[in-house]
Structures are given as structure tokens and as C-alpha cells.
Amino acid sequence: MASGSCACKYIQYKTSKSPTRLVNCHCIECRKQSGAPYLSFVHFPTSSVNWETDPTVWKSSDKASRTFCPRCGSVLSMNLDNEPDTTAIAAGTLDDDNSSIPTPSAHIFLAEKASWFQVPDDGAERWE
Ligand SMILES: [Zn+2]
Ligand SMILES: [Zn+2]
């Protein structure tokens, strides 16, 4: 249903289902790990995501784990410990031929948003 990879293509994945939603996360960890004002995540059922090579896992807090490519550093995914059935895939790693990707439904963690970034008036929900 969807496929993607890191920048150097060492890590590749395929999903057997369509994503359920897309959120833009403005939290400090997403900003730091991506080097961008926010990270877009598409949510897939964890059982539907097949990694051809497993990415490196970073236990980023006592609530979440994040993954990245050990060769090129691309951010790949995040899992919340209390929501093991959902895998949030970094949307920028998806291949361009995915027509099933939803538009953003929410901007989250706006309390930690970069002061220089203006959230677009795109109709998505806004959560502090
Ligand atoms: Zn890579
Ligand atoms: Zn975040």
C-alpha cells in the first residue's frame, strides 16, 4: 500500500495497509531529531509495516522510541510505548507514488513550536 526509504536507501520498508492519519508534531524532540521546524508522521498499524532492514532504535524518552538510519541518519519512525499497535512513520521518507496519504489532520505540541515558524492556516486541528 505504501513504501519508503531513508535518504541513502539502506533502510527500506513497505506497508500492507493504508495510513490512518497524518499529524505534524512540533515537539522539541521532533525538531531536534529532524533539524526542521516540525516532523510529519503518518500513522500505520504496526503489524502492517515491514522493514526490509531494521533501522537503529533510539529510546528517546520514557514514553517513546524513535528510529533512524545508521548510515545516513534519516529519521524513520516513532513508537509510543502505550500505543504499540500504531507506528508513526516519518512522512518525508515515503516514496512519491503513494496516493493514499491523507492531508494533515492536526498540528500537535504547539506549546513547543519553534518561535520563528508560522503554522499555516490549513484547517487542521491545533493542539498545545
Ligand atoms: Zn540511510
Ligand atoms: Zn514530536
Side-chain angles (χ1 to χ4, degrees):
M1 286 299 211
S3 63
S5 74
C6 63
C8 77
K9 302 225 166 61
Y10 175 61
I11 307 289
Q12 301 191 32
Y13 60 85
K14 286 189 170 57
T15 74
S16 58
K17 296 211 168 118
S18 296
T20 52
R21 64 198 301 256
L22 186 152
V23 298
N24 292 330
C25 187
H26 298 257
C27 84
I28 190 79
E29 281 174 9
C30 285
R31 288 170 46 198
K32 294 281 186 180
Q33 200 193 16
S34 67
Y38 62 89
L39 250 173
S40 298
F41 285 116
V42 273
H43 291 188
F44 288 92
T46 296
S47 61
S48 76
V49 179
N50 290 299
W51 299 96
E52 290 176 22
T53 304
D54 284 333
T56 301
V57 177
W58 171 41
K59 184 79 177 105
S60 56
S61 75
D62 58 1
K63 299 185 184 72
S65 296
R66 293 165 180 265
T67 73
F68 60 93
C69 171
R71 294 192 178 172
C72 70
S74 295
V75 176
L76 285 154
S77 67
M78 185 191 64
N79 287 87
L80 293 174
D81 293 352
N82 64 359
E83 293 179 32
D85 295 339
T86 296
T87 292
I89 295 278
T93 66
L94 287 161
D95 294 332
D96 286 334
D97 56 354
N98 294 299
S99 56
S100 62
I101 308 306
T103 54
S105 62
H107 295 274
I108 63 173
F109 283 96
L110 287 173
E112 298 177 19
K113 179 182 81 61
S115 60
W116 48 268
F117 180 76
Q118 305 282 330
V119 177
D121 189 11
D122 58 4
E125 291 175 29
R126 297 181 182 216
W127 299 346
E128 283 297 302

